[in-house]
Amino acid sequence: MATALGNRAHQRKSFAKRISTHLAAALVTFCLLQIAIVAKSGGSLVLHLGIIIAIGGYAVAARGLERRWQLLERGGLSDSGLALRFRRDVAQLWAASLCGALLWIPVTIIYRFLFG
């Protein structure tokens, strides 16, 4: 019985660790894509300050997701319920990271149109 509970707790802990790993990788990807897009478009200081603000917002959202998984880890959810939530959160995380970084393309186009 103790081994079954120990394995179950270990598996839940691994979900929280795995989400943290995905968060770190997604943050690096988010930052690199933003920097590359702004650098390719000949970004100004205003756009670089926008990158700093976007990364700060991403960090706040990432911390919220980590807290959510800490709470889910303590909850009484089944392993299949946790696995489903994990897959959904990972898909949303990567979609937000990639799409969020690609939003700089229209921003830089509009910025260049308005300010040369």
Side-chain angles (χ1 to χ4, degrees), residues 19 23 56-72 89:
I19 201 74
L23 280 168
Y58 184 97
V60 169
R63 183 61 190 136
L65 187 59
E66 281 184 333
R67 283 188 191 141
R68 177 178 186 268
W69 275 96
Q70 288 171 354
L71 292 174
L72 284 173
D89 282 356

Side-chain angles (χ1 to χ4, degrees), residues 5-113:
L5 292 176
N7 289 341
R8 187 173 180 196
H10 176 67
Q11 190 172 14
R12 285 188 179 174
K13 190 174 182 182
S14 70
F15 280 118
K17 283 184 180 182
R18 286 173 32 199
I19 201 74
S20 292
T21 303
H22 279 282
L23 280 168
L27 177 61
V28 169
T29 304
F30 180 72
C31 294
L32 291 176
L33 278 173
Q34 282 186 345
I35 291 168
I37 290 168
V38 170
K40 290 282 184 188
S41 67
S44 69
L45 179 62
V46 173
L47 292 175
H48 284 89
L49 290 174
I51 289 174
I52 293 169
I53 292 169
I55 291 170
Y58 184 97
V60 169
R63 183 61 190 136
L65 187 59
E66 281 184 333
R67 283 188 191 141
R68 177 178 186 268
W69 275 96
Q70 288 171 354
L71 292 174
L72 284 173
E73 190 176 89
R74 293 183 207 134
L77 293 174
S78 67
D79 292 339
S80 62
L82 283 174
L84 177 67
R85 284 170 176 77
F86 179 78
R87 285 191 303 272
R88 185 190 63 209
D89 282 356
V90 167
Q92 289 175 349
L93 169 68
W94 281 103
S97 293
L98 297 175
C99 292
L102 294 177
L103 285 175
W104 281 105
I105 294 172
V107 169
T108 56
I109 291 170
I110 292 168
Y111 182 83
R112 282 184 134 194
F113 178 74

